[in-house]
Amino acid sequence: MANFAIGVDLGGTNLRIAAVDEGGTLLEKVTTGTRVALGRDQVINDMCDAIRALSAKFQASRTMLGAGIGVPGIIDMETGLLRESPNLPGWEEYPVREEIERRLGAPVILENDANAAALGEKWLGAARDVNDMCILTLGTGVGGGLVLHGRIWHGMNGMAGEFGHMTVDPDGPRCNCGNTGCVEQFASATAVMRMAREAISSGTAPQLARAAGSDPEFSAKIVYNLAIQGDQPSRDIFRRVGWALGIAVGDLVNALNLPMYVIGGGVASAWEAFSPYMFEELQRRSMVYAATAPTPEARQPSMGVPAFPSKEKGTGAAAGVQPRGVGRKTIVTRALLGSDAGLYGAARLPMLGSDPAWD
Amino acid sequence: MANFAIGVDLGGTNLRIAAVDEGGTLLEKVTTGTRVALGRDQVINDMCDAIRALSAKFQASRTMLGAGIGVPGIIDMETGLLRESPNLPGWEEYPVREEIERRLGAPVILENDANAAALGEKWLGAARDVNDMCILTLGTGVGGGLVLHGRIWHGMNGMAGEFGHMTVDPDGPRCNCGNTGCVEQFASATAVMRMAREAISSGTAPQLARAAGSDPEFSAKIVYNLAIQGDQPSRDIFRRVGWALGIAVGDLVNALNLPMYVIGGGVASAWEAFSPYMFEELQRRSMVYAATAPTPEARQPSMGVPAFPSKEKGTGAAAGVQPRGVGRKTIVTRALLGSDAGLYGAARLPMLGSDPAWD
């Protein structure tokens, strides 16, 4: 039977742990709350217990390759220290990797959660048939990850892939990062809500105002529903989401000329509402995109492909995957794995082993 | 004695050919006009004659490794066809590489000129002590090249490195590429002249108006001289150059987290006038730069380093070159090789050989 690895998605809210085999088949998944309030040691205890339990279950019949852990924050890849982690207070400068390895008695690979999501989509998701790709994850903020030659591109300090803080509107809204007009200020769920509030305040968005007043769970999803129903102020919000993404992805296309750019995260569910505007900007703003764009019909190779996990790798070819050669096209498409991308990517880490040229 | 290679910089105006040994020492350089008007065949004849003459001269005592040719335009790396080349009309879709190989009876490597310049600066110039870097070349337009793990990053279609067409001002001046507000519309020599004309037309730039009226050779260099002498409208022009570069380089720092970003081309001579503004934007707009910025004094490792060619590689270490490790800094600095960067980079190509993982 195929070897397996453990993937962990350690979020500020949820702790998810999965055993995945080398073929990408999920053997078992455990989801539990991250008990952040009980402190670092308790969270690490919970995680190690779950890893041990899952490993024990499958180790009888298979070889365990190791554990990969996706963590929100900046990781020092050499030391395994967490350098910055707003959602895990008190974890900074703590030797997370060393501590987990000590408790498990097994090697552990720590990775930034957005990088893990990129690797997951590359392994089993939208980008499974290309070697070079990047992902923009539209959630509370906008995260990113870059995969080159099948490996996560960490950059010099492990800080590569901060696509959410590329500038798209130099005089735009202030961002927590210190900049003004970051992608994150237009394409995150937080930004959708800010734009909705602005529209309501301006008095020109009666349907949004009604929804906000009547629904205690007023959210980006509700703004999306209104946009799909034709409400113009709501449509305008997603026009701005698409505009910002078009500029940022266009910059990445001009700079890197990758075969695939994946849009993931919760706001990616609003694809129908923002993607036409995104493609419009891409076509107009990126000469490299314009020279390599597929026809609008062929834009989304993922459509029509069986949902994850893809058992038959071959099916990708018929679904718009690019041949190696001169006429290769630039694909900008939706993520396929949803919130599991980071979990699968984390499990993939121990399978890749080390590559001196890349690590 | 060290092996050698021939580097060619085939420009729309000048044809330059050099023999360079493996240690980076220039053996001989020939510069001649590119006789574009006489047609493709004549230019190729001129080039092959010069390559043969130079090779013959050094082949008696050394091994010739091959020839690399830097060409303005987009090259299909697989076929050696020139796909787009505004400065070499009639060369499109012509099998340049095959034809030169046939005439020389030796293998030839074709490369985009901005990519060759990136490789030159990486081999012998500002980036000689790092493996990952990119260059922005500020000339008539703004070109770019990206080197990852010591190799040119071509991207899927050989179109990577178009940094000059990243968007910095979504509603800014129209660019030939179809976009509005590209870096090239602010940081090229053409843009400096456009901004000077705009300032003159506005009636608020008397010194610029006087210089433009009296000097038939009115140029970006003259605008720079006025800026250095304290003329405010001229200083404002370079403030905008620095502003645009700060945004674009900041985006690249956030996306790639490279150790070094090199600014080259003629307009880079105005470093003193634009770089303070560029660093200001970088610091404010790129969280990755802010987290990894050297102190202002240490910003420019190239200052104080002996001018090219560096005979003693060791001197770099004392001059601010980054150690491998956690505290590595992001360096944004001037190119060192001037117009020779592309020539040296072209000569470097046959020395690198092929790398299946990268080519």
Side-chain angles (χ1 to χ4, degrees), chain B residues 237-313:
Chain B
I237 289 170
F238 285 98
R239 185 180 49 74
R240 291 172 76 191
V241 172
W243 171 84
L245 286 174
I247 292 176
V249 175
D251 283 352
L252 291 170
V253 173
N254 278 342
L256 297 173
N257 187 206
L258 305 176
M260 185 164 296
Y261 305 80
V262 177
I263 311 293
V267 179
S269 311
W271 180 265
E272 259 183 89
F274 69 75
S275 69
Y277 304 107
M278 176 183 75
F279 284 115
E280 198 182 308
E281 296 295 324
L282 269 171
Q283 186 75 34
R284 186 166 80 82
R285 294 193 182 275
S286 166
M287 53 187 272
V288 176
Y289 184 80
T292 60
T295 57
E297 299 71 38
R299 262 179 198 158
Q300 300 169 45
S302 56
M303 296 320 195
V305 174
F308 168 81
S310 152
K311 305 272 177 186
E312 299 163 74
K313 300 286 277 189

Side-chain angles (χ1 to χ4, degrees), chain A residues 76 78 132 146 148-149 153-163 165-168 170 177-180 243 247 251 254-259 284-285 287-288 291-292 326 328-330 357-358, chain B residues 76 78 132 146 148-149 153-163 165-168 170 177-180 243 247 251 254-259 284-285 287-288 291-292 326 328-330 357-358:
Chain A
D76 186 315
E78 289 177 34
D132 307 302
L146 175 61
L148 300 179
H149 293 313
W153 177 265
H154 289 107
M156 168 175 64
N157 315 85
M159 298 173 87
E162 288 290 354
F163 307 134
H165 297 284
M166 293 172 72
T167 304
V168 293
C177 77
N179 189 11
T180 49
W243 171 85
I247 292 176
D251 283 352
N254 278 342
L256 298 173
N257 187 206
L258 306 176
R284 188 166 79 83
R285 294 193 181 274
M287 53 187 270
V288 177
T292 60
V326 178
R328 284 172 278 176
K329 301 296 185 191
T330 300
W358 279 97
Chain B
D76 186 316
E78 288 177 34
D132 307 301
L146 176 60
L148 300 179
H149 292 314
W153 177 265
H154 289 108
M156 168 175 64
N157 316 83
M159 299 172 86
E162 287 291 353
F163 307 133
H165 297 284
M166 292 172 73
T167 304
V168 293
C177 78
N179 189 11
T180 49
W243 171 84
I247 292 176
D251 283 352
N254 278 342
L256 297 173
N257 187 206
L258 305 176
R284 186 166 80 82
R285 294 193 182 275
M287 53 187 272
V288 176
T292 60
V326 178
R328 283 173 279 175
K329 300 296 184 189
T330 300
W358 279 96

Side-chain angles (χ1 to χ4, degrees), chain A residues 120-145:
Chain A
E121 288 289 340
K122 188 264 160 285
W123 184 29
L124 300 166
R128 64 185 177 278
D129 294 293
V130 298
N131 252 331
D132 307 302
M133 58 83 72
C134 71
I135 191 169
L136 281 83
T137 312
L138 319 181
T140 310
V142 173

Side-chain angles (χ1 to χ4, degrees), chain B residues 52-237:
Chain B
R52 265 190 296 260
L54 266 189
S55 307
K57 196 159 171 181
F58 297 101
Q59 234 160 350
S61 54
R62 300 159 201 255
T63 302
M64 151 90 164
L65 296 171
I69 304 178
V71 182
I74 295 167
I75 294 149
D76 186 316
M77 301 305 293
E78 288 177 34
T79 61
L81 285 169
L82 210 55
R83 295 178 61 205
E84 249 180 77
S85 185
N87 293 319
L88 294 173
W91 290 59
E92 291 89 357
E93 305 301 329
Y94 176 74
V96 185
R97 187 179 68 200
E98 206 172 88
E99 184 56 28
I100 300 171
E101 285 182 339
R102 196 183 61 74
R103 298 197 196 190
L104 290 178
V108 158
I109 300 171
L110 226 57
E111 186 52 85
N112 166 271
D113 54 355
N115 286 345
L119 191 61
E121 288 289 339
K122 187 263 161 287
W123 184 29
L124 300 165
R128 65 186 176 278
D129 294 292
V130 298
N131 253 332
D132 307 301
M133 57 83 71
C134 71
I135 191 170
L136 281 84
T137 312
L138 319 181
T140 309
V142 173
L146 176 60
V147 171
L148 300 179
H149 292 314
R151 300 262 168 174
I152 293 164
W153 177 265
H154 289 108
M156 168 175 64
N157 316 83
M159 299 172 86
E162 287 291 353
F163 307 133
H165 297 284
M166 292 172 73
T167 304
V168 293
D169 182 6
D171 300 317
R174 178 154 295 283
C175 184
N176 290 330
C177 78
N179 189 11
T180 49
C182 291
V183 187
E184 181 163 300
Q185 292 306 312
F186 297 94
S188 63
T190 315
V192 169
M193 293 305 286
R194 188 202 72 238
M195 293 188 280
R197 280 195 308 273
E198 287 169 358
I200 293 168
S201 303
S202 75
T204 58
Q207 293 209 56
L208 276 170
R210 207 171 309 130
S214 66
D215 191 337
E217 310 261 286
F218 185 62
S219 67
K221 174 116 185 42
I222 290 169
V223 182
Y224 169 66
N225 288 339
L226 285 172
I228 288 299
Q229 289 158 30
D231 178 53
Q232 195 56 47
S234 303
R235 292 181 56 147
D236 286 345
I237 289 170

